[in-house]
Amino acid sequence: MEPRKRVYLDHNASAPLLPGARTAMADVLALTGNPNSVHAEGRALRKHIEDARTAIARLAGAQTTRAAFTGSATEAITQAIVGAARAGAIDRIITSTGEHKAVLKAAAAAGVPVNEVALSADGVIETAALGKVIADADVAGETVLVAVHWVNNETGVIQPLDEIEALLADTQHFLFVDAVQAFGKLPMKFAASRIDMAAVSAHKIAGPAGVGALFMKARCDKFVLIPGGGQEQGRRGGTESAALIAGFGKAAQDLAGAYDLERVSALTDQVERLIETHAPDAEIFGRRALRLGTTVNFAVPGLANATAMIGFDLGGVALSAGSACSSGKVSKSHVLKAMGVADEMAQCALRVSLGWTTTEADIEFFEKVLVGILAQRKSGRGAAA
């Protein structure tokens, strides 16, 4: 009996591992030693780490020495935000109401005042309001850390980084960018930008989970979260996981050959069209804003996302109800709330996210399962929100 077909449409949560990354990890796992040892075994592992550092720095448009490996993007985010506060470099944090929870929780834990700037109904940060908070900080003689994401993980909305950088031009303030969803998909020029720090993650670019990186300009080198034994040029203590890092580096090298954003965007457009065809009353969130062509966040009135996700999973389609950082729970989206979406619609929100493995056949299969779920809803057999 042939295995039942499965279609994976949850790339924003974690992208399927590239074959080269898997091979790179296996090769390093066959080695013995500590990458910080000076003997031949240690030097062999160190070479894998430094080769990976070069690869991810190239993808970020950064100097190789400006990348520090971490255990995850969440750790990198926390190091940037909490580390800046612990170093006494900032008096205030400015973020938005729609940031990833990793940013919001790090800001809450930093021990300095936090301002959360509102999002528009399209999911875009209100730059005029952001500018006012920055100006008020200038008057008060405060140094602030502005912490914003580049691409929202739930809606795919791209934030106006150029405008945000312009607000901080010729100031002493710091800019941290959560670049997790943008890395490897949008052109990144860290070295030439006004960005002081940027967090990225391996498993979002088809590398392994359990490793991330923080890009840091020189003035942020003292923003340390884990002092440890001086690894990563003193910016992140703890023996590096050479195998995971090697997988990260190989994914960064191979992504361009495996990932065609134009092709993925065309498939994403196809998803939106078929949703509109089969569910004319559906709402697609953030559609009037500039979005990365990987994500469709939509809601069909009366179709609870918890029920719909079960239907999709049983039908062979993996998708999500938003962020995958809630320990398997389906909870209300704070991002949609920040966009002013009514609770009854937010409880129906589903996220389809595409990537390097997605094919047109996958979208056709998604359509078939969607039609079946909508038919159940129409007949009254699907639970309403």
Side-chain angles (χ1 to χ4, degrees):
M1 183 177 178
E2 292 186 5
R4 188 173 184 180
K5 180 177 174 64
R6 295 286 302 178
V7 167
Y8 186 79
L9 298 177
D10 202 15
H11 283 249
N12 285 13
S14 195
L17 194 64
L18 281 162
R22 181 180 289 107
T23 299
M25 288 189 289
D27 290 346
V28 175
L29 284 170
L31 303 178
T32 299
N34 186 312
N36 299 292
S37 298
V38 297
H39 48 58
E41 287 81 359
R43 293 197 306 273
L45 288 168
R46 173 54 53 188
K47 184 177 188 308
H48 284 286
I49 290 174
E50 297 311 318
D51 287 348
R53 197 186 312 276
T54 298
I56 69 162
R58 184 177 294 117
L59 192 59
Q63 295 176 321
T64 301
T65 55
R66 294 293 95 212
F69 288 111
T70 62
S72 64
T74 294
E75 183 191 316
I77 288 166
T78 306
Q79 178 171 339
I81 296 173
V82 176
R86 285 184 181 177
I90 59 172
D91 303 297
R92 183 177 299 275
I93 294 166
I94 308 173
T95 187
S96 85
T97 53
E99 298 302 314
H100 192 283
K101 285 291 183 67
V103 170
L104 296 177
K105 290 187 176 182
V112 298
V114 179
N115 290 88
E116 291 186 5
V117 177
L119 298 184
S120 72
D122 296 322
V124 180
I125 190 169
E126 298 282 6
T127 52
L130 175 61
K132 184 179 186 309
V133 179
I134 294 170
D136 289 345
D138 287 334
V139 171
E142 295 180 331
T143 299
V144 303
L145 170 65
V146 176
V148 294
H149 53 211
W150 191 350
V151 175
N152 185 274
N153 61 302
E154 293 191 27
T155 63
V157 169
I158 299 173
Q159 298 300 325
L161 277 191
D162 289 348
E163 295 179 33
I164 295 170
E165 290 185 52
L167 291 173
L168 298 171
D170 302 320
T171 73
Q172 80 280 15
H173 305 307
F174 293 89
L175 174 59
F176 164 74
V177 172
D178 170 359
V180 170
Q181 294 294 339
F183 186 52
K185 300 163 190 171
L186 294 177
M188 188 172 175
K189 299 178 181 179
F190 179 78
S193 73
R194 177 59 180 78
I195 302 168
D196 293 289
M197 297 176 284
V200 299
S201 177
H203 73 116
K204 307 297 188 181
I205 65 162
V211 59
L214 180 63
F215 294 99
M216 311 169 73
K217 297 284 175 65
R219 70 175 184 144
C220 304
D221 277 348
K222 301 300 182 183
F223 299 173
V224 177
L225 186 67
I226 304 173
Q231 295 89 350
E232 292 301 295
Q233 302 86 47
R235 289 174 289 185
R236 196 274 189 180
T239 302
E240 299 96 333
S241 174
L244 293 179
I245 289 171
F248 191 1
K250 187 58 175 170
Q253 285 181 329
D254 291 354
L255 188 67
Y259 196 94
D260 181 347
L261 182 58
E262 185 175 345
R263 181 189 70 82
V264 174
S265 296
L267 292 175
T268 302
D269 290 342
Q270 187 176 335
V271 169
E272 291 195 1
R273 287 194 298 270
L274 68 88
I275 289 170
E276 292 172 326
T277 297
H278 298 295
D281 56 344
E283 182 173 352
I284 296 174
F285 303 111
R287 69 178 314 168
R288 290 179 296 275
L290 181 64
R291 288 179 294 157
L292 186 65
T294 60
T295 309
V296 182
N297 192 316
F298 72 101
V300 178
L303 180 63
N305 53 19
T307 301
M309 284 179 63
I310 293 172
F312 276 110
D313 192 36
L314 291 175
V317 177
L319 44 71
S320 74
S323 177
C325 301
S326 301
S327 300
K329 300 175 182 176
V330 178
S331 54
K332 292 182 182 178
S333 167
H334 73 284
V335 174
L336 297 183
K337 180 178 180 180
M339 293 167 62
V341 177
D343 283 350
E344 58 268 24
M345 283 298 284
Q347 290 171 356
C348 299
L350 295 166
R351 182 187 69 184
V352 175
S353 52
L354 288 61
W356 74 275
T357 61
T358 310
T359 65
E360 189 162 348
D362 291 337
I363 306 308
E364 291 171 357
F365 189 84
F366 165 78
E367 179 180 17
K368 178 182 176 181
V369 177
L370 173 66
V371 169
I373 290 172
L374 293 174
Q376 288 185 339
R377 165 193 174 236
K378 188 174 181 179
S379 68
R381 285 183 286 148

